[in-house]
Amino acid sequence: MDAREQQAVPDRRQRILAPLGDLTRVGLEIGALHHPIIDRSQDPNANVLYVDHTDTAALHAKYADDTDVGEMVAVDVVWGDGLLVDALGDRAPIDWVIASHVIEHVPNLVGWLDELASVMSDGAVLSLAIPDKRYCFDINRRETDPSDVVGAWLADSKRPSLATVYEFYARIAPVDAGQAWAGVYALQPAEEDVERGLEWARKAADSDEYVDVHCWTFTPDVFVATLRTLFRLGLTSFRVVRFTPTLSNELEFFCALERLPRSLAPDQRMEAQLASLPVIDRCADGLDDGTHAMVLSGREVRLIEAKRRAATAVRKVLDKVRRQ
């Protein structure tokens, strides 16, 4: 990107907040820890509740020896093993939700979305920032398949599977996003740390302690494919309202999901959901030419398809002429 293009790209905070609308309405930020998107000291008008899996004191104890974790936010809502609706009480319904680098940690993605939908008002928006596995420490791991997500929902998974824990620790590797975009890692053979993978999988099997890993490894197109499967199965009440694929030399993409009206019939909901899915041109994505993925509107897709059909017809005519 040249300087003008860089100035035109919103910063990550803008990309997360833009779809949410009025922040004076009550909203949630999940897993803010020490780096909130909404900082109450700087955004006094934002009506935010900080949500985490445990309370502030327990978080301080957990990260006491971690020098990378600074001053933490004060947790307002503990969403642990119980239901979010119970944890919120009369503070629901919620009008917006922020979850930055959270969804990939959730063992039951469908159940997590369902719990959020249950406390969100119709039209409320969930704004997600999601790491792109090609440009972070998940680079050597396999991409999530939608069947993995459906299977975890059917199993009502409360923890990452032992296979996921093994794969995470066997294959994670330090990655510089800029070098990943340049294709450096594609030229290097990736050797699994099988001993480390087995060690952590055994820890997870033999202990009641939760082992936190990335349960899901998404790219923009894989995430869209997962949403398409959930929409077709009627497993979620959201539709896509904004999608920003991974930009050059960055390691995350952004997706905003709107809670659809509860009054919609299942077929109406599915129609709205499938129509909301972005189309990602894989030819412009990732390492193919060094640019970021393009998200195309339905109108643009139809135009491209018409052009392709026309080009095919022209080629057939030319081939026929050549053969004569």
Side-chain angles (χ1 to χ4, degrees):
M1 290 188 292
D2 62 25
R4 287 174 299 177
E5 288 174 316
Q6 288 178 341
Q7 291 174 358
V9 175
D11 65 25
R12 82 178 297 269
R13 188 171 186 273
Q14 288 177 301
R15 283 177 252 171
I16 293 170
L17 296 183
L20 298 179
D22 183 7
L23 296 179
T24 63
R25 299 177 301 169
V26 63
L28 307 178
E29 182 169 353
I30 303 172
L33 199 60
H34 69 293
H35 191 58
I37 304 300
I38 300 288
D39 188 334
R40 277 197 286 239
S41 65
Q42 299 178 15
D43 301 283
N45 295 323
N47 192 0
V48 61
L49 297 171
Y50 295 123
V51 181
D52 220 307
H53 71 283
T54 190
D55 60 27
T56 309
L59 288 176
H60 278 295
K62 178 179 179 179
Y63 293 101
D65 299 325
D66 192 333
T67 57
D68 293 328
V69 176
E71 184 177 353
M72 301 180 198
V73 301
V75 176
D76 301 299
V77 179
V78 175
W79 183 9
D81 295 331
L83 298 176
L84 179 58
V85 65
D86 294 332
L88 279 172
D90 59 7
R91 290 172 288 191
I94 300 301
D95 294 303
W96 52 267
V97 180
I98 294 170
S100 174
H101 290 231
V102 173
I103 196 170
E104 68 277 8
H105 291 268
V106 178
N108 183 352
L109 188 153
V110 174
W112 185 78
L113 288 176
D114 194 45
E115 285 205 53
L116 284 173
S118 72
V119 302
M120 294 171 69
S121 57
D122 290 354
V125 173
L126 164 63
S127 187
L128 300 167
I130 307 169
D132 187 326
K133 63 89 58 184
R134 298 168 299 177
Y135 311 115
C136 71
F137 54 65
D138 290 323
I139 190 169
N140 296 326
R141 298 182 63 199
R142 70 176 184 88
E143 295 177 350
T144 289
D145 187 89
S147 64
D148 301 327
V149 175
V150 174
W153 168 69
L154 289 170
D156 192 23
S157 298
K158 306 297 184 186
R159 295 179 175 224
S161 71
L162 298 180
T164 299
V165 173
Y166 172 86
E167 191 214 9
F168 178 84
Y169 280 105
R171 296 179 181 173
I172 56 170
V175 169
D176 176 88
Q179 290 184 334
W181 273 94
V184 171
Y185 299 101
L187 304 176
Q188 301 174 358
E191 185 172 354
E192 296 184 6
D193 190 335
V194 293
E195 290 84 5
R196 182 175 63 183
L198 182 59
E199 176 188 358
W200 277 96
R202 279 178 168 161
K203 284 182 181 179
D206 298 338
S207 171
D208 291 333
E209 185 176 350
Y210 187 93
V211 178
D212 185 21
V213 300
H214 282 191
C215 300
W216 315 113
T217 48
F218 291 122
T219 63
D221 59 299
V222 167
F223 187 71
V224 169
T226 300
L227 289 178
R228 179 178 289 108
T229 297
L230 301 187
F231 292 167
R232 292 179 62 198
L233 291 172
L235 294 182
T236 186
S237 302
F238 292 96
R239 74 178 179 106
V240 180
V241 290
R242 183 171 301 192
F243 194 91
T244 306
T246 313
L247 302 181
S248 296
N249 296 314
E250 295 190 1
L251 56 75
E252 61 187 346
F253 60 97
F254 304 87
C255 182
L257 300 172
E258 179 188 36
R259 206 271 183 237
L260 287 168
R262 289 164 171 81
S263 60
L264 282 182
D267 58 338
Q268 293 175 314
R269 183 178 68 184
M270 185 187 300
E271 182 179 3
Q273 291 172 323
L274 293 175
S276 76
L277 286 171
V279 177
I280 300 175
D281 186 348
R282 289 194 65 129
C283 293
D285 190 17
L287 303 176
D288 292 335
D289 63 358
T291 63
H292 64 271
M294 295 187 296
V295 177
L296 309 177
S297 68
R299 181 175 178 276
E300 290 169 324
V301 171
R302 290 191 294 273
L303 180 60
I304 290 172
E305 289 175 345
K307 288 181 177 179
R308 286 174 177 168
R309 287 194 297 270
T312 300
V314 169
R315 282 196 298 270
K316 288 180 178 178
V317 171
L318 290 174
D319 290 341
K320 184 176 181 181
V321 170
R322 291 192 188 101
R323 288 195 297 268
Q324 290 177 349

